[in-house]
Amino acid sequence: MSEIATASSQTVSPAVAAALPGLRHDWGRAEVDALFRLPFADLIFRAQTEHRRYFDANEVQMSTLLSIKTGGCPEDCGYCPQSAKFDTGLKASKLMAVGAVLEEARRAKEAGASRYCMGAAWRSPKDHDLDQVIEMIQGVKAMGMETCVTLGMLDGEQAQRLKQAGLDYYNHNLDTSPEYYPEIISTRTYQDRLDTLSNVRDAGINVCCGGIVGMGEDLDDRVGLLVTLANLPSHPESVPINLLVKVEGTDLDDAAPLDPIDFVRTIAVAKIMMPASMIRLSAGREHMSDETQALCYLAGANSIFIGAKLLTTDNPEQEKDQRLFDALGIRPMPAPCEVASIRAAE
Ligand code: SAM
Ligand code: DTB
Ligand code: SF4
């Protein structure tokens, strides 16, 4: 065990860990491509070794996700069942009432979640919507859980308001490489996304940022996504790697399936490049074998969504996850008692 992690738990918050010396922000595409092509055993060994420098390899952080405003989204993200562009049979709904959200959060806490994530199908939040989301954040925090929201693009002032409300994490994904991005989304640019990420970071909120694989991209796009993430001014504290959930009616419902070994390689390379970050094995677990998930944990994934639903699509039942955790000897990661700011450490 390293000097940083103890036998039972991570001793430094993800934000502080991500600011530790030795983390690189100058990754080049050729060396990352070479990592992807390592013999599998060498790749997994490197990823595990890095992982153990910062984390207890037998702990996984568990979050629960709730869609607080579903469907009818004006954006045209080609993978997303919530875009108004697609007829996926999804019923659009208004922003949920604060009381109803807090009731769901209470259930998630009882089920063992240490972080509660709320997502809204918006291009960006309106100020009066933000007022309500802030009440939700304060209510969830009062229950002793960490909070995360994903609400679309944010300007600097909105990010500051969320920080003042006590928000722990903001999720905003880059989704894919800068080159492949225009094939998937036309209504907002890659730069728009980078601007939101810098507003969130500057406000002192932990950044949750990753992407989606299995969208028909090639290896160079997976390399490009990870290089962009790792070369941000600070590594996102949480890096969700989503495997595309194919939804009938979306542009990508017939995308070619990604080989599970290539998915595991993506997790391992992400961990080697951003070793102090939590790599979240995010969407796509519903149809993933236990064996593939076990390989993802070996490759350094240490965060998942629990509960039967993601935002609008299915996630494994908790009993199924628990059986796999029991078989692998994995324990839930306790919520950190403090979440320090990465900027404070720099
Ligand atoms: N509307 C906000 C936004 O996009 O910024 C927040 C919610 S959006 C649903 C959050 C993320 O979910 C997206 O950035 C995308 O990475 C992921 N996502 C959406 N649909 C997905 C799918 N079918 N499969 C995998 N990931 C998906
Ligand atoms: C992320 O990267 N994955 C989550 C969370 N951030 C908000 C969303 C996954 C959505 C999968 C499709 C759905 O359920 O609608
Ligand atoms: Fe809207 Fe977010 Fe879905 Fe894009 S990913 S269509 S912004 S809900």
Side-chain angles (χ1 to χ4, degrees), residues 38-337:
L38 280 174
F40 194 67
D42 294 348
L43 176 63
I44 299 298
F45 180 72
R46 269 190 72 173
Q48 255 292 304
T49 306
E50 286 298 332
H51 189 47
R52 283 169 182 267
R53 291 180 60 209
Y54 297 96
F55 296 98
D56 182 324
N58 301 309
E59 283 185 354
V60 169
Q61 191 279 330
M62 298 193 222
S63 303
T64 293
L65 196 51
L66 176 69
S67 181
I68 57 172
K69 194 272 165 208
T70 305
C73 183
E75 303 296 281
D76 69 350
C77 312
Y79 48 75
C80 184
Q82 302 201 66
S83 166
K85 184 185 163 198
F86 304 126
D87 181 7
T88 58
L90 185 71
K91 202 169 156 284
S93 64
K94 291 204 190 110
L95 181 60
M96 283 174 72
V98 175
V101 170
L102 296 185
E103 191 44 50
E104 294 285 341
R106 202 162 291 123
R107 265 187 235 134
K109 168 141 186 165
E110 276 163 21
S114 61
R115 187 180 306 163
Y116 201 62
C117 308
M118 297 167 271
W122 288 323
R123 173 174 167 80
S124 57
K126 307 223 164 34
D127 284 343
H128 61 271
D129 292 327
L130 215 52
D131 294 339
Q132 287 204 55
V133 174
I134 283 172
E135 280 185 51
M136 295 170 192
I137 292 167
Q138 289 166 337
V140 171
K141 273 193 86 76
M143 292 176 201
M145 280 187 286
E146 290 184 310
T147 50
C148 176
V149 295
T150 177
L151 313 171
M153 294 187 285
L154 289 187
D155 62 29
E157 208 171 299
Q158 291 173 318
Q160 289 290 347
R161 285 191 67 199
L162 289 170
K163 173 67 184 172
Q164 275 157 18
L167 180 68
D168 297 301
Y169 287 82
Y170 194 83
N171 168 242
H172 197 65
N173 292 335
L174 289 173
D175 281 351
T176 188
S177 66
E179 295 79 16
Y180 196 57
Y181 182 90
E183 306 283 319
I184 307 293
I185 298 145
S186 76
T187 49
R188 66 165 75 128
T189 65
Y190 213 72
Q191 189 58 47
D192 288 333
R193 290 185 185 252
L194 292 168
D195 291 346
T196 293
L197 292 172
S198 86
N199 291 335
V200 170
R201 202 169 45 239
D202 291 350
I205 300 168
N206 290 297
V207 173
C208 172
C209 181
I212 310 177
V213 295
M215 297 198 292
E217 77 285 346
D218 57 27
L219 173 59
D220 200 44
D221 295 309
R222 293 192 280 280
V223 169
L225 169 67
L226 295 184
V227 165
T228 311
L229 289 168
N231 290 351
L232 288 170
S234 43
H235 292 171
E237 285 79 8
S238 163
V239 181
I241 304 292
N242 295 278
L243 179 61
L244 175 70
V245 179
K246 291 180 202 171
V247 180
E248 216 179 304
T250 62
D251 276 350
L252 295 178
D253 67 351
D254 59 355
L258 184 71
D259 185 322
I261 297 295
D262 288 332
F263 183 77
V264 177
R265 283 183 181 276
T266 308
I267 299 265
V269 175
K271 174 49 57 170
I272 291 167
M273 296 170 75
M274 295 170 279
S277 301
M278 297 223 194
I279 308 295
R280 184 188 298 259
L281 172 53
S282 211
R285 291 197 305 113
E286 171 73 351
H287 301 294
M288 203 178 276
S289 72
D290 281 359
E291 292 83 350
T292 301
Q293 291 185 60
L295 283 174
C296 290
Y297 297 129
L298 256 185
N302 66 341
S303 171
I304 60 166
F305 288 116
I306 55 165
K309 261 228 152 28
L310 291 166
L311 289 172
T312 66
T313 65
D314 291 344
N315 198 41
E317 292 290 341
Q318 212 178 331
E319 293 72 36
K320 185 167 184 286
D321 284 337
Q322 193 55 55
R323 276 198 300 276
L324 180 58
F325 278 12
D326 289 346
L328 299 175
I330 287 176
R331 303 178 301 272
M333 185 186 291
C337 39

